[in-house]
Amino acid sequence: MSINSTSHRIVGLDLLRTNAILLVVLGHGRWMLDGCPKPIRTLFNGAFGYMGVELFFVLSGFLIGSILLKVFIKTDDFGFAEVKNFWSRRWFRTLPNYYLVLILNILFTVYIFRITLPDHLWTYFFFIQNFSAHVNSGFFYDSWSLSVEEFAYLCAPLSLVILSALLKYFSKKLIFLIATGLLIFLVISVRAIYFVFFHTSEVDWNDSIRQVMIFRLDSIFIGFVGAYFNYFKANLWKRLRYWAFAIGIGCLSFSFLFYLHNQHADTFFFYVIYPLIYSLGALLILPLLCFVDIKNAILLKVVTFISTISYSMYLIHNSLISNSIKAFVGNNELGAFTGLFCYLIYWTLTIGLSYLLYKYFEKPATDLRDMNYKPEVTLITIKPDSVPQRDMGDKGE
């Protein structure tokens, strides 16, 4: 499939993924504009990066949750063979790129950045660098979010296997709903227990909650809720899409503004409830996006292009490109002209190198996966309520 192919893609979800990665890249390059006038600094606010990551979490949960749901529903005896195939396809999609960029980060850190590698370097190879606490050493900073996704996709299919054994006489529809609800409840409960019994005001929210894997898994599983409604309640999913979108935008706007003014808040709401509101906002905009179409051919190609290379962009834009620019210009505040020039170079390198990484490494690895692992059940289905569902696939996830 060419990089601009829109066959079997939901354009609205590509649009969301494109906006999410652009927000992340925009936010992480914000430091280059510190010497620019205030309107520019405000327009390119670093908080946008936070919003982009949250959108990614729910979108990823929706897409991969839809795949898992359909495998679960269509398999008579869902067990470890299906789980193994699910894991293999996910890992073939994500791990080759991740480990390549991890090795590049090690080499850049030693030979270009000239700083000491973190003592916990080994944890990055097993996605446990932020299992219970995020150690912000500056090394491969963005990888914390990948560990959230990887562990979510470890837990979800296993929970379905266990609940299927315990709830033999329950329908698969109900088992999937129970598993999703239970996982979300457990993660929120862990956040609450941490705040009530272990939290101290000296601990930063960003490092102690937002970027800690065991506290953020619910963001992925909320995407599973969308997968459930899209599959079993397709008419409702479509009928309420405008109302849901309006409420979702309201939730996202509230969350963004709240974060701007309460980054150092020390309250139960901020630590426990606030991440949930962001995720629910992202979930509620999905129904409308599933039916969005882009008529302009040029815009459609741009959206599809950025969406397709978004994973490569996420991996290299900050840890390799932004940090390389920072190493070159030093720690002094950049002037307006120099900052804007560096920002342009930052975006050019991010898009250009991400395309090369996708074309010559990420896509060949994905093609190799498709040759060696049986595909999951077809994702083109017609529901009993006669609402056709297009193939969402797992491209870009």
Side-chain angles (χ1 to χ4, degrees), residues 21-289:
I21 189 60
L22 293 180
L23 287 172
V24 170
V25 178
L26 183 152
H28 286 154
R30 164 67 173 76
W31 66 269
M32 302 175 204
L33 305 177
D34 284 345
C36 293
K38 186 175 180 180
I40 294 179
R41 299 199 310 270
T42 302
L43 180 63
F44 294 86
N45 195 288
F48 285 121
Y50 170 41
M51 177 183 287
V53 174
E54 301 305 310
L55 294 175
F56 265 126
F57 278 159
V58 177
L59 175 61
S60 180
F62 176 67
L63 292 170
I64 305 303
S66 295
I67 293 173
L68 180 60
L69 170 61
K70 290 166 185 176
V71 174
F72 180 62
I73 293 296
K74 293 176 180 289
T75 305
D76 292 334
D77 188 16
F78 184 83
F80 287 103
E82 288 73 28
V83 171
K84 179 183 176 182
N85 187 63
F86 175 82
W87 285 341
S88 298
R89 291 185 61 82
R90 300 285 73 71
W91 290 336
F92 240 100
R93 175 67 184 85
T94 57
L95 297 194
N97 240 18
Y98 172 79
Y99 283 121
L100 174 62
V101 176
L102 174 58
I103 292 171
L104 288 175
N105 267 277
I106 294 173
L107 296 176
F108 273 53
T109 298
V110 173
Y111 296 108
I112 296 180
F113 306 148
R114 302 287 184 176
I115 59 177
T116 304
L117 290 169
D119 294 334
H120 61 291
L121 177 63
W122 66 273
T123 62
Y124 286 81
F125 288 89
F126 301 97
F127 293 96
I128 56 174
Q129 62 268 37
N130 62 322
F131 182 83
S132 58
H134 181 63
V135 183
N136 183 7
S137 63
F139 176 81
F140 206 178
Y141 176 78
D142 307 297
S143 64
W144 70 267
S145 61
L146 299 176
S147 70
V148 175
E149 296 203 13
E150 293 301 326
F151 273 88
Y153 302 136
L154 274 175
C155 297
L158 286 178
S159 68
L160 292 176
V161 172
I162 294 171
L163 286 178
S164 294
L166 295 175
L167 307 174
K168 294 181 179 179
Y169 302 105
F170 284 52
S171 68
K172 288 191 173 184
K173 172 182 176 180
L174 185 56
I175 290 174
F176 185 88
L177 187 60
I178 291 173
T180 301
L182 183 61
L183 289 169
I184 293 173
F185 174 77
L186 287 174
V187 176
I188 296 175
S189 298
V190 170
R191 276 207 304 267
I193 291 171
Y194 167 80
F195 181 84
V196 173
F197 295 102
F198 302 102
H199 166 69
T200 60
S201 58
E202 291 78 18
V203 178
D204 180 68
W205 174 83
N206 199 55
D207 289 342
S208 64
I209 290 290
R210 178 181 171 244
Q211 297 175 349
V212 176
M213 184 265 289
I214 60 174
F215 296 145
R216 299 308 317 281
L217 293 172
D218 59 319
S219 298
I220 305 291
F221 299 135
I222 285 174
F224 279 44
V225 175
Y228 174 88
F229 276 92
N230 181 55
Y231 190 87
F232 292 111
K233 303 292 183 182
N235 272 336
L236 182 66
W237 181 261
K238 181 177 182 180
R239 189 169 64 250
L240 298 181
R241 64 190 185 278
Y242 294 109
W243 284 103
F245 186 82
I247 297 172
I249 291 297
C251 290
L252 292 175
S253 300
F254 165 80
S255 299
F256 180 77
L257 295 174
F258 184 89
Y259 177 74
L260 285 179
H261 296 92
N262 296 272
Q263 295 184 34
H264 303 291
D266 189 34
T267 64
F268 182 89
F269 175 82
F270 191 42
Y271 274 68
V272 181
I273 307 300
Y274 173 73
L276 184 64
I277 297 176
Y278 231 132
S279 299
L280 289 175
L283 170 66
L284 290 171
I285 67 175
L286 290 178
L288 180 60
L289 291 175

Side-chain angles (χ1 to χ4, degrees), residues 252-325:
L252 292 175
S253 300
F254 165 80
S255 299
F256 180 77
L257 295 174
F258 184 89
Y259 177 74
L260 285 179
H261 296 92
N262 296 272
Q263 295 184 34
H264 303 291
D266 189 34
T267 64
F268 182 89
F269 175 82
F270 191 42
Y271 274 68
V272 181
I273 307 300
Y274 173 73
L276 184 64
I277 297 176
Y278 231 132
S279 299
L280 289 175
L283 170 66
L284 290 171
I285 67 175
L286 290 178
L288 180 60
L289 291 175
C290 284
F291 296 93
V292 164
D293 201 4
I294 298 178
K295 302 298 184 183
N296 186 285
I298 296 177
L299 178 59
L300 180 59
K301 288 184 177 181
V302 171
V303 167
T304 305
F305 174 78
I306 297 297
S307 175
T308 303
I309 66 171
S310 61
Y311 182 47
S312 292
M313 289 179 66
Y314 191 84
L315 288 172
I316 70 173
H317 78 280
N318 192 27
S319 61
L320 296 182
I321 297 174
S322 177
N323 283 344
S324 293
I325 295 174

